[in-house]
Amino acid sequence: MSHRFVHENRPGRVVFAAGARSRLPEEIDRLGLHRLIVVCTPGHAGLAAELAAPLGERIADLHPHATMHVPAAIAAKAVARARETGADGCLAIGGGSAIGLAKAVAKDTGLPIVAVPTTYAGSEMTPIWGLTADGRKTTGRDPRVLPSVVVYDPELTTTLPPALSVTSGMNALAHAAEALYAPDGSPIHTLVAAESARALADALPRVAADPHDTDARSDALYGAWLAGSVLGATTMSLHHKLCHILGGTFDLPHAETHTAVLPHVLAFNLPAAPAARTALETALGTTEPASRLFHLARGLGADMSLTALGMPEDGVETVVSQALAAPYANPRPVTEAAIRHLLGRALSGVAPA
Ligand code: NAD
């Protein structure tokens, strides 16, 4: 085999253990931070206060105003608050929404981020930021928004409801699957992505069966960590493009949309990506990875219909035109007919063809 790749290691420290939240003070001291602004969603204010308590005077402010997709006005307020309080770091506690807000703060202020993820979305491992203004989400890459330390504590994920655990896990699986055929993949990213898919597919049924099974939670979060790291290191393709359009245009829920779309994109792409297909077949223990993921998610209760998630039937035209408007990497040329076909199946929630 003739190898040909570019591989770059990203900075960042990861602390992973059940109970790892108790190591936050030590990690923050290690970074030499003294005044942190803590960001989270309103629903996580209690958890944030609990995690912040041992940090005492090192907490400058608790800012529980994160919402989905980082609205620009909310980002601006958090940036202003970080400046007013003289914060020297940002502690993000929660899922992609909380980490997204911390990234908006870091992007404008350069403050280092300490992230404590509580979902499987994976944003904590990427230098990708997103901001939504006037109904449009803009994303970009900036090394300053990559968290300096990520503290993964599976015990913090046991409260994630089973349905959201499954779809959030499928969201992570989508990062792993698309990393396997990314144009800028490397042998290490391939190993990481395949291990991520294996770990997630194995863990999700156990998580759904018992959300308080900490071993299952640990395996799922481990898979999500790996998925986030390949998401940050490679360029995603058609699946992520479609989900970005669907989320932005129809305000569909993030993880649920990824779950409903992924099997259909894989059914389209894998015939043109034989190495990715083989890796996924091995990771998932099947000769039909797309179908396996569809039945895995549906069997665990996920809603596989975009219509049920809120996409209007006449929205297909908008998605088709946006998906064809700007070129992006994909292992198989993306045609109008292909998008119509796979969106049609995802709308009605039938198995991939
Ligand atoms: P989220 O952060 O909005 O969390 C979903 C819901 O679950 C929220 O209501 C939250 O309060 C709740 N929740 C989170 N953790 C919980 C827990 N342990 N127990 C109980 N409830 C909990 O959603 P998400 O799916 O984590 O992230 C989605 C967002 O992140 C999107 O805006 C997406 O675009 C972004 N994202 C960005 C990147 C990136 O690299 N920049 C990567 C992935 C996702």
Side-chain angles (χ1 to χ4, degrees):
M1 186 181 193
S2 126
H3 291 285
R4 191 182 166 82
F5 60 87
V6 174
H7 182 85
E8 193 181 327
N9 284 323
R10 289 186 193 283
R13 175 175 162 96
V14 169
V15 177
F16 194 119
R21 60 191 181 282
S22 67
R23 287 181 57 179
L24 266 177
E26 176 186 339
E27 290 301 323
I28 282 160
D29 286 347
R30 212 178 153 273
L31 290 172
L33 302 178
H34 300 102
R35 286 185 70 71
L36 292 152
I37 176 167
V38 185
V39 296
C40 62
T41 54
H44 267 159
L47 175 69
E50 190 188 318
L51 298 195
L55 293 163
E57 300 209 327
R58 282 167 287 184
I59 300 300
D61 192 26
L62 175 56
H63 192 80
H65 303 297
T67 59
M68 193 77 115
H69 301 312
V70 200
I74 287 186
K77 278 190 189 145
V79 169
R81 198 65 200 133
R83 291 204 167 114
E84 278 160 29
T85 56
D88 62 2
C90 186
L91 172 59
I93 297 168
S97 298
I99 293 163
L101 185 57
K103 286 176 164 183
V105 170
K107 180 173 163 296
D108 277 17
T109 62
L111 296 185
I113 299 175
V114 176
V116 184
T118 62
T119 70
Y120 305 136
S123 178
E124 67 280 356
M125 291 305 296
T126 84
I128 306 164
W129 54 264
L131 270 179
T132 304
D134 303 324
R136 243 195 141 71
K137 187 163 180 179
T138 313
T139 60
R141 285 177 183 255
D142 183 337
R144 298 200 306 174
V145 311
L146 179 73
S148 305
V149 178
V150 182
V151 174
Y152 283 108
D153 185 342
E155 289 174 1
L156 297 178
T157 63
T158 56
T159 50
L160 193 63
L164 187 51
S165 302
V166 169
T167 54
S168 190
M170 291 297 290
N171 181 196
L173 247 156
H175 310 329
E178 289 224 298
L180 287 170
Y181 51 61
D184 44 6
S186 80
I188 290 184
H189 297 144
T190 299
L191 290 169
V192 169
E195 170 62 359
S196 167
R198 185 207 60 74
L200 286 161
D202 172 72
L204 293 182
R206 292 154 54 217
V207 164
D210 179 4
H212 292 279
D213 175 344
T214 39
D215 283 347
R217 287 293 189 178
S218 187
D219 288 339
L221 194 59
Y222 158 73
W225 161 54
L226 298 176
S229 74
V230 290
L231 168 69
T234 63
T235 302
M236 297 285 111
S237 299
L238 177 63
H239 169 78
H240 281 74
K241 177 81 181 174
L242 286 179
C243 291
H244 183 86
I245 296 169
L246 289 164
T249 312
F250 310 114
D251 201 25
L252 302 190
H254 180 81
E256 291 85 342
T257 304
H258 274 267
T259 305
V261 171
L262 181 65
H264 303 285
V265 173
L266 291 182
F268 174 68
N269 273 343
L270 291 180
R277 184 187 175 109
T278 306
L280 264 187
E281 285 176 357
T282 309
L284 303 177
T286 174
T287 54
E288 295 296 339
S291 169
R292 163 98 169 89
L293 291 178
F294 177 88
H295 291 289
L296 173 72
R298 193 175 66 175
L300 297 177
D303 208 326
M304 303 306 283
S305 153
L306 289 177
T307 307
L309 296 179
M311 178 174 167
E313 295 282 340
D314 62 3
V316 172
E317 296 313 315
T318 317
V319 181
V320 168
S321 63
Q322 283 193 50
L324 295 174
Y328 50 90
N330 198 59
R332 189 170 172 184
V334 179
T335 61
E336 182 176 335
I339 299 176
R340 283 188 194 284
H341 174 76
L342 70 87
L343 269 183
R345 298 191 80 84
L347 268 163
S348 54
V350 294

